[in-house]
Amino acid sequence: MFSAITLMSEAQYLLAVTKDEPSREYYTTVYIGSAAMTSPVNLLIDLGTNLTWLNCRKIKSLSTLGLVTCKSSTCKSIPGNGCDRNTCLYRQPRPLGKNTVVTTGRVVQDNATIFTTEGGQPVHIAPSRRFTFSCAVDKYLQGMAPPIAGVLALSPGEFPFWRQMTSAFNVIPKFSLCLPSSRYGYFFMGTPSLGGKKTGPMTSTTLKIDSGKYLISVRSIYVDGVPLTLDPSLLEGGAQLSTVVPFTVLQTDIYNALAQSFTLRATNIGMTQTPGGHAPFKHCFGEGASRRNMDVSVMEIGLPGNGKEVKWRFQGANMMERVSETVICLAFVDGGKKPNESMVIGTHQLQDYLVEFDLSTTQMAFSDPLILHNTNCST
């Protein structure tokens, strides 16, 4: 690992985030290889992966690629490591599909470069730094969007991309995401800046780190200011944050309470529930003559913050998904009675917010819905 001497709180490094529209997957581009021959590699952004892995055939020159030995301290500190003779191996469930499907690849090191920014705009590529990742075979990329050649690890573990890079560049260990609803957004390491875009005040809450996951404590859930009536035990595990789950998944009882409240509000303004669902959604509505569009209802998640409850507000396009010209659906998924997590907040709800993960203080900060400031995450 890299050793940081002086942390430069104002330093920032920017990578563009691309939304693949057909798959709803978000990826960024990292340049790997020697300065004379770097290769751009598109990597799925995943908050749950511990070590970046990719198809190393996408790298133009392998001359600077070095194998990590099995007996090295680097190999020994990587979760899920293994050995093939003297070569370090990495094994971890794939972020997409069933968790029983495991990637296995050789752990390697090569140079990696990223952009530095000024006023939120890229000005030049930062110097190359040695980067530890794993080479995976093509079959593990099945199910991912065609532009994607691997997974960028952003977990709170020992070897995620953000930890390696912030340590290498002497930056405070934090990163921020601004997932776009379309086209391109932002991924910052260090202090974020949206190039003059207004985000409003940032609200902070404590991050819980558990089994390589980012979790936030949930005290209440509100719809239009009215708290949902829920068994308190349903909220005890908190909510997991995910960049690979497209729509927030809720335990059945939480989902039903949300859907009931939402349906009441929708029918009160003249919308009608459509028969049948539009998978993966269960509750859909015809807008009719009212054309009330997406602004049917507001959901807030109550979180602990600075000795009082703070609220993370979702509304409009973050609550709904349009499935046809006249039909919109509640953009949440019923996860069943006994899911691993009662709440997993997906990318549809995260898009067009600036969300900061500060691992130096174990805090998460989030902006207002950027639409309230007449802006968004799209460049």
Side-chain angles (χ1 to χ4, degrees):
M1 294 295 291
F2 307 102
S3 60
I5 300 173
T6 303
L7 297 177
M8 300 180 295
S9 62
E10 297 305 315
Q12 60 178 231
Y13 297 89
L14 168 66
L15 291 85
V17 173
T18 301
K19 181 180 182 180
D20 180 75
E21 294 288 354
S23 67
R24 300 179 179 275
E25 293 168 10
Y26 289 88
Y27 64 88
T28 191
T29 304
V30 176
Y31 293 80
I32 296 177
S34 65
M37 192 176 292
T38 59
S39 301
V41 181
N42 296 328
L43 301 174
L44 180 76
I45 293 173
D46 183 23
L47 294 173
T49 291
N50 294 315
L51 180 71
T52 298
W53 58 269
L54 56 96
N55 178 4
C56 291
R57 293 180 180 178
K58 296 291 184 179
I59 302 174
K60 293 178 182 178
S61 174
L62 302 180
S63 61
T64 57
L65 194 72
L67 291 173
V68 174
T69 62
C70 197
K71 295 181 180 180
S72 66
S73 59
T74 297
C75 184
K76 292 178 180 178
S77 59
I78 294 175
N81 70 73
C83 290
D84 178 12
R85 297 179 183 177
N86 193 37
T87 301
C88 186
L89 299 180
Y90 170 64
R91 301 179 74 251
Q92 175 167 312
R94 288 168 53 191
L96 303 177
K98 296 181 179 179
N99 286 337
T100 54
V101 181
V102 175
T103 62
T104 302
R106 295 180 177 183
V107 179
V108 297
Q109 291 181 324
D110 204 338
N111 295 324
T113 56
I114 55 178
F115 287 103
T116 185
T117 66
E118 188 174 275
Q121 301 300 316
V123 290
H124 67 274
I125 294 179
S128 298
R129 290 295 185 268
R130 207 67 174 162
F131 176 46
T132 302
F133 57 98
S134 173
C135 289
V137 296
D138 290 348
K139 69 177 182 179
Y140 294 131
L141 298 172
Q142 293 175 4
M144 295 186 185
I148 297 174
V151 178
L152 189 76
L154 295 181
S155 82
E158 292 297 319
F159 278 88
F161 179 77
W162 67 264
R163 191 182 295 278
Q164 293 190 57
M165 293 296 109
T166 57
S167 182
F169 294 111
N170 299 334
V171 178
I172 284 178
K174 64 181 177 181
F175 65 94
S176 305
L177 294 169
C178 203
L179 299 182
S181 53
S182 63
R183 299 183 64 190
Y184 309 108
Y186 304 87
F187 167 32
F188 292 99
M189 284 176 289
T191 302
S193 170
L194 294 184
K197 289 187 176 183
K198 295 181 179 179
T199 64
M202 297 286 284
T203 303
S204 295
T205 190
T206 301
L207 268 176
K208 296 166 59 180
I209 308 298
D210 183 31
S211 302
K213 300 174 183 177
Y214 296 102
L215 301 166
I216 50 176
S217 297
V218 177
R219 291 182 172 177
S220 306
I221 301 175
Y222 303 84
V223 173
D224 294 329
V226 179
L228 299 181
T229 301
L230 298 169
D231 183 338
S233 65
L234 293 174
L235 303 179
E236 287 178 357
Q240 179 186 347
L241 298 157
S242 174
T243 50
V244 296
V245 172
F247 300 97
T248 292
V249 181
L250 302 173
Q251 190 271 352
T252 294
D253 295 335
I254 301 176
Y255 176 85
N256 286 342
L258 173 64
Q260 181 179 12
S261 179
F262 182 89
T263 299
L264 179 62
R265 171 63 175 159
T267 54
N268 283 343
I269 64 170
M271 298 177 68
T272 56
Q273 190 167 357
T274 60
H278 294 263
F281 311 118
K282 293 176 64 176
H283 289 77
C284 299
F285 304 84
E287 290 182 294
S290 67
R291 296 294 292 175
R292 290 299 182 103
N293 213 306
M294 300 290 190
D295 298 318
V296 182
S297 199
V298 173
M299 172 185 175
E300 294 174 312
I301 301 176
L303 310 170
N306 297 324
K308 62 179 181 179
E309 184 178 83
V310 298
K311 294 181 179 180
W312 194 358
R313 179 185 179 95
F314 299 96
Q315 65 183 77
N318 292 97
M319 288 287 290
M320 306 300 297
E321 173 72 358
R322 183 172 296 282
V323 296
S324 75
E325 189 173 329
T326 59
V327 177
I328 57 177
C329 297
L330 180 62
F332 293 78
V333 176
D334 183 347
K337 293 289 287 186
K338 295 183 178 180
N340 292 331
E341 305 290 345
S342 293
M343 298 180 63
V344 180
I345 299 177
T347 56
H348 187 79
Q349 279 66 45
L350 292 175
Q351 66 188 16
D352 289 327
Y353 288 82
L354 178 63
V355 182
E356 179 184 88
F357 299 79
D358 189 339
L359 279 301
S360 67
T361 60
T362 324
Q363 293 277 309
M364 186 193 82
F366 52 93
S367 69
D368 289 338
L370 295 185
I371 192 172
L372 297 181
H373 299 275
N374 297 315
T375 188
N376 53 46
C377 287
S378 300
T379 58

